[in-house]
Amino acid sequence: RKEVEQDPGPFNVPEGATVAFNCTYSNSASQSFFWYRQDCRKEPKLLMSVYSSGNEDGRFTAQLNRASQYISLLIRDSKLSDSATYLCVVNHPGGGNKLTFGTGTQLKVEL
Amino acid sequence: DAGVTQSPTHLIKTRGQQVTLRCSPKSGHDTVSWYQQALGQGPQFIFQYYEEEERQRGNFPDRFSGHQFPNYSSELNVNALLLGDSALYLCASSLGGTELPSSTDTQYFGPGTRLTVL
């Protein structure tokens, strides 16, 4: 079983739609959770950190369910510029801040 | 405030050769992590340097080695290159020294070095 699993997509949605991505992680001791965004052939960029019960930043909402070991990302009112790959990232426990990435979910927002 | 920088941006090598990639962390950061990202995959952790020592290592062979300098910059060396080493190599910087998650453990990535092995 992979440490972090995501549906690779692609998710093709019309502009203005609401889209949700889920991610599961296998290590129950994981303590930090993030969503990174990666544009084609570019570096990952931090979208949101998720530390406790989740958080919201404008059109983006991230939720954490420790009991079920999954985190989610909700994007409301999708924009063309939201088209990218969204990487679910978990901080490996035990110190040293090693990040474990999922394979990413590709989102394509269309007119 | 300079972000994470990496050099070179692109590199082409042949099998068996050796390569050195360089990274300068974001201003104020003291920890550098290296990741390998193959096409269509998420980044895979190679190792992390803090206080000039390798603090953690992922599942990569000894052909992959690194170094951190007193100014916190870092190098990644790969010996005896294989075709499968072709990937985007990403450097990420953060503030180290913490065992528990905090607002300082966020990692910021450089633009990467795209290595092609022929």
Side-chain angles (χ1 to χ4, degrees), chain A residues 4 7 10 16 18 28-29 36-37 42-43 46 48 52-53 57 59 71 74 81 83 91 97 101 105 109:
Chain A
V4 180
D7 181 344
T18 295
S28 60
Y36 276 75
R37 169 194 169 130
K42 299 285 189 180
E43 74 274 21
L46 180 67
M48 300 182 73
S52 55
S53 59
D57 183 4
R59 298 183 293 109
I71 63 176
L74 184 75
S81 57
S83 297
N91 187 319
N97 201 13
F101 286 77
T105 298
V109 181

Side-chain angles (χ1 to χ4, degrees), chain B residues 27-86:
Chain B
S27 178
H29 284 179
D30 58 6
T31 301
V32 173
S33 303
W34 287 93
Y35 294 82
Q36 179 196 66
Q37 186 174 24
L39 198 62
Q41 300 296 316
Q44 299 292 312
F45 177 77
I46 302 175
F47 42 52
Q48 183 181 87
Y49 278 85
Y50 172 67
E51 293 187 340
E52 301 180 51
E53 290 191 358
E54 185 181 289
R55 180 157 70 173
Q56 271 202 339
R57 189 178 182 91
N59 189 26
F60 279 80
D62 293 344
R63 297 187 298 108
F64 290 77
S65 63
H67 188 77
Q68 186 178 34
F69 300 95
N71 66 354
Y72 307 122
S73 67
S74 177
E75 288 182 350
L76 163 66
N77 300 293
V78 187
N79 295 322
L81 284 167
L82 304 173
L83 295 179
D85 294 333
S86 295

Side-chain angles (χ1 to χ4, degrees), chain B residues 14-32:
Chain B
T14 56
R15 281 179 297 175
Q17 285 190 310
Q18 177 266 343
V19 68
T20 297
L21 310 181
R22 297 177 176 81
C23 170
S24 291
K26 183 178 168 68
S27 178
H29 284 179
D30 58 6
T31 301
V32 173

Side-chain angles (χ1 to χ4, degrees), chain A residues 34-49:
Chain A
F34 308 89
W35 283 101
Y36 276 75
R37 169 194 169 130
Q38 187 171 28
D39 293 289
C40 187
R41 302 180 74 83
K42 299 285 189 180
E43 74 274 21
K45 292 186 178 179
L46 180 67
L47 180 65
M48 300 182 73
S49 301

